[in-house]
Amino acid sequence: MTDTPAIAAELRRLLRHAHAPYSGVHVACAVESEDGRVTYGVNVENAAYPLGQCAEASAIGAAVTGGSTKLTRVFVTTSLPGLVWPCGGCRQKIFELAAEWCEVVSLGSEGDEGRQTIDQLLPLGFRLAPAQLRRS
Ligand code: THU
């Protein structure tokens, strides 16, 4: 398990890689998987605003690309003061791949941090049971 201070330091470094010329808000995310791998992502905005991608989506995409699909911890840090929590859409993306007790850790710039399970952040999240999937 990578320790939180090492992940926090890497996230602070990665904030400068965010592509956020429109909002000016830089976000970096790390996703830890059950296999111990940690992948990183930043937000990538676009002049066609709705096409912008959250940092969580970038990090989750990197995890899945590497073959990791069970997330144990998700770390988020931003250029804003205070603690920031994933947007609703990203909560659903995390929920989809969350291991049991998957935790979201919000890291502030002053060394402050907050922790919430994904079930606290997204109670009654949307999930399709295998029996509900249509196969053709
Ligand atoms: N953003 C994220 O990267 N993650 C979130 O959970 C919330 C918002 C990004 C999207 C946009 O590039 C910027 O923050 C301002 O909304």
Side-chain angles (χ1 to χ4, degrees), residues 23 25 27 43 45 54-56 85-87 90:
S23 72
V25 177
V27 186
N43 55 329
E45 296 183 351
C54 287
E56 294 88 334
W85 299 95
C87 73
C90 287

Side-chain angles (χ1 to χ4, degrees), residues 74-126:
V74 176
F75 300 84
V76 186
T77 196
T78 80
S79 56
L80 296 169
L83 300 181
V84 169
W85 299 95
C87 73
C90 287
R91 293 178 194 201
Q92 179 66 29
K93 287 178 196 286
I94 295 164
F95 183 79
E96 174 82 14
L97 300 174
E100 212 180 343
W101 303 115
C102 173
E103 201 174 46
V104 177
V105 184
S106 179
L107 300 165
S109 55
E110 316 268 301
D112 45 331
E113 69 174 62
R115 290 170 187 267
Q116 299 279 318
T117 65
I118 187 62
D119 289 326
Q120 287 173 306
L121 292 177
L122 188 70
L124 303 175
F126 178 68

Side-chain angles (χ1 to χ4, degrees), residues 21-33:
Y22 308 106
S23 72
V25 177
H26 291 221
V27 186
C29 175
V31 160
E32 179 196 66
S33 306

